[in-house]
Amino acid sequence: MSALMSESDPALMQEVFDAQGSTALRWRTSTAAERIARLAKLREVILAHREALYQAFQQDFRKPETEVEGSEIVPILDEIRHAIRHLKGWMKPTRIRPTLLTWGNRAWVQHQPRGRCLVIAPWNYPLNLSICPLISAIAAGNTVILKPSEMAPHVSAVLARIIATVFKLEEVAVFEGSLPTAQALLDKPFDHIFFTGSPSVGKLVMAAAAKHLSSITLELGGKSPTIVDETANVDQAAETILWGKLINAGQTCLAPDHLYVHEFVKARFLAACQKVLQARYGSSALAQKNSPDLARIVNPRHTQRLQAMLDNAVQRGATVLAGGEVDVPQCYVAPTLIEGVPADAALLQEEIFGPIFPVIGYTDLDQVIEQINRQPKPLALYLWTQDQARVHHVLAHTSSGGACVNHCIVHVAHTGLPFGGVNNSGVGSCHGHHGFKAFSHERSVLQGGWLNSIRVFFPPYTAARHRLIRFISDRLA
């Protein structure tokens, strides 16, 4: 079987898909030691390609090496470490106590690999969001076809080399390509599909999966709101929120999308933000543009989109408080704070996915909650406050995939927490044990024992038997 992955080659994809079917059957009985060995080998080869990854990210995003390490490699290493440490326990059957109706029998839940899995990864974190679901799939005993994004071609090429070094094609294969490749793969009856991307494309993936009744995990996005109330630690909020907003030039599904800040602290918060921007990226527009610590937008088309959103808001009366510069050929958008954006402007209606931060002053928290609830459910919600009653109030009256209080984004790094969206922002969860379960079928097993209590329900249905069953019903009521 050739290792060459050409764009949308139906014969090659079918060959790999068929071969992985046989492997998936063998891997169904794979041991924890075998799966751990695969994960350990993957970790070893990723680290061997560290310098190549630095160069690839520089070519695709001008992404700083430290940011590559912190946002791409560290999460992968932590996910592998966590899986290796806990995999034996995850794989053990879970004993279930008998109920009144099943007394005398044994029951347990067995975690079976789903089988052949498809992972479609996005361009914004092309290594992290390719490898982390792969780790969960391998830990659960599955084969994988991985489709990375064509919009980060240099990272995709290194990723393909890593996978080819660790796995045979009939185990894990990478198909590089664009929309035709993705469509051809989605036509196949995978046992599970894991997609990370936009809600609009997620709907298409869900429709394709429905044709084969494939199970799915959809990690999507949305406009994640941030609230800074009048009790918040303003300096800490500014430092942390701007980190979350500007990492990877704002091209993060979890990034704080827009900010509600109480009028009582708004001026202090904005002043703190200005200080953070100058301290981190330079005191002038030119210094910030030349900063080695700011990544670039992925391509000119996405840069033009951000420029159009920004221009539209300004033309309609919004005020740029910081930044505002856009250089399309250089794929550069300055870290930008903007206020007075009309409610129906694109900046407040579409997921921004860039370093532009609309600021909205407020005095009534319940009105903010009402505005949040009028929008599709976001992937995350961030609240900065020292009032614990307010924490409970906001969490009780809003819905989001995840939430942070006096922090942002870091909940995705907690391998013990389920990471995922809700409705428009996603379906299903991943990371750690939750990722293992996403790629596993939880099979219920019951084994009959010494007391076959179900005989009570056998015909013939005599009057005495009816009274006995009715007595059981009354005990259950």
Side-chain angles (χ1 to χ4, degrees):
M1 193 181 301
S2 170
L4 178 63
M5 297 295 177
S6 56
E7 167 84 303
S8 196
D9 181 343
L12 181 57
M13 281 187 277
Q14 189 63 51
E15 184 182 357
V16 172
F17 183 79
D18 291 342
Q20 289 198 357
S22 300
T23 304
L25 291 175
R26 294 197 308 274
W27 279 13
R28 187 176 292 171
T29 56
S30 57
T31 64
E34 290 170 333
R35 299 180 192 183
I36 288 171
R38 294 176 194 130
L39 294 175
K41 179 65 174 178
L42 178 61
R43 175 175 57 193
E44 174 189 331
V45 175
I46 289 172
L47 291 175
H49 284 78
R50 181 182 256 153
E51 295 300 325
L53 287 167
Y54 287 167
Q55 295 174 17
F57 275 99
Q58 182 65 211
Q59 290 171 293
D60 285 337
F61 295 96
R62 278 185 58 181
K63 190 166 184 173
E65 290 184 0
T66 303
E67 203 165 285
V68 174
E69 195 71 33
S71 65
E72 300 277 356
I73 296 175
V74 165
I76 289 170
L77 297 179
D78 190 43
E79 192 77 27
I80 292 176
R81 178 203 59 82
H82 188 77
I84 288 176
R85 183 177 182 180
H86 296 282
L87 186 54
K88 290 181 180 179
W90 294 345
M91 291 178 63
K92 287 181 180 179
T94 304
R95 287 286 303 274
I96 307 297
R97 292 176 61 86
T99 65
L100 178 62
L101 293 180
T102 59
W103 196 260
N105 303 293
R106 294 176 56 227
W108 64 93
V109 174
Q110 173 188 25
H111 294 92
Q112 287 193 312
R114 290 196 180 273
R116 289 177 290 193
C117 299
L118 172 64
V119 173
I120 302 179
W123 53 264
N124 58 324
Y125 289 88
L127 184 71
N128 179 344
L129 298 180
S130 295
I131 297 294
C132 280
L134 174 64
I135 291 166
S136 295
I138 294 301
N142 301 279
T143 65
V144 177
I145 288 179
L146 171 61
K147 164 63 179 69
S149 173
E150 73 281 4
M151 291 172 61
H154 296 93
V155 176
S156 179
V158 178
L159 175 63
R161 292 202 302 270
I162 291 171
I163 298 302
T165 303
V166 180
F167 299 101
K168 299 176 182 178
L169 287 176
E170 56 267 29
E171 298 172 344
V172 179
V174 174
F175 278 87
E176 297 178 88
S178 57
L179 181 60
T181 295
Q183 290 174 328
L185 289 169
L186 286 169
D187 283 339
K188 303 197 178 304
F190 284 94
D191 297 296
H192 189 75
I193 298 173
F194 190 108
F195 169 79
T196 305
S198 67
S200 59
V201 180
K203 294 174 184 177
L204 299 177
V205 173
M206 194 170 189
K211 295 178 182 178
H212 305 290
L213 295 180
S214 302
S215 59
I216 57 170
T217 303
L218 301 178
E219 296 296 347
L220 307 177
K223 293 182 70 62
S224 297
T226 300
I227 303 170
V228 176
D229 81 356
E230 69 275 23
T231 72
N233 183 323
V234 169
D235 291 333
Q236 184 183 48
E239 290 177 352
T240 310
I241 292 169
L242 286 183
W243 165 76
K245 180 64 177 179
L246 298 177
I247 188 172
N248 203 37
Q251 299 165 115
T252 304
C253 59
L254 280 168
D257 181 89
H258 54 291
L259 171 73
Y260 298 97
V261 57
H262 197 280
E263 290 287 358
F264 183 75
V265 296
K266 181 181 172 185
R268 283 197 293 129
F269 177 81
L270 290 174
C273 287
Q274 295 276 15
K275 290 180 181 179
V276 170
L277 291 177
Q278 292 175 12
R280 290 180 183 171
Y281 306 114
S283 58
S284 68
L286 181 61
Q288 291 184 9
K289 187 174 183 179
N290 292 326
S291 171
D293 298 324
L294 277 172
R296 291 296 184 262
I297 306 303
V298 68
N299 58 35
R301 179 171 64 86
H302 281 247
T303 310
Q304 288 174 331
R305 171 184 169 272
L306 291 169
Q307 182 178 45
M309 296 172 78
L310 183 60
D311 290 348
N312 174 264
V314 171
Q315 289 165 8
R316 299 179 60 189
T319 301
V320 173
L321 305 173
E325 181 185 354
V326 179
D327 186 336
V328 173
Q330 294 295 316
C331 297
Y332 173 74
V333 177
T336 299
L337 299 172
I338 185 170
E339 68 174 349
V341 178
D344 61 346
L347 279 177
L348 292 182
Q349 293 298 316
E350 301 175 17
E351 184 177 6
I352 297 171
F353 228 64
I356 304 172
F357 207 9
V359 178
I360 306 162
Y362 82 90
T363 55
D364 187 335
L365 181 61
D366 286 330
Q367 288 184 359
V368 172
I369 291 173
E370 182 182 346
Q371 291 177 37
I372 292 171
N373 287 333
R374 281 202 298 264
Q375 300 295 324
K377 296 174 183 177
L379 186 56
L381 182 145
Y382 305 120
L383 172 64
W384 290 79
T385 182
Q386 300 302 317
D387 186 336
Q388 197 61 33
R390 195 162 291 168
V391 172
H392 295 309
H393 181 74
V394 172
L395 293 180
H397 290 89
T398 60
S399 178
S400 62
C404 288
V405 178
N406 297 328
H407 222 314
C408 71
I409 292 185
V410 177
H411 63 294
V412 72
H414 195 313
T415 48
L417 288 174
F419 175 74
V422 55
N423 297 128
N424 194 71
S425 55
V427 176
S429 299
C430 62
H431 292 182
H433 192 205
H434 305 281
F436 173 84
K437 292 202 295 182
F439 283 96
S440 300
H441 167 59
E442 294 183 278
R443 185 189 204 181
S444 59
V445 182
L446 185 141
Q447 182 173 331
W450 58 271
L451 177 62
N452 191 4
S453 56
I454 202 67
R455 287 178 177 170
V456 171
F457 297 91
F458 290 177
Y461 299 131
T462 63
R465 184 147 300 184
H466 177 78
R467 287 193 298 271
L468 177 57
I469 294 175
R470 183 162 176 166
F471 173 80
I472 294 173
S473 295
D474 291 341
R475 300 288 75 72
L476 295 172

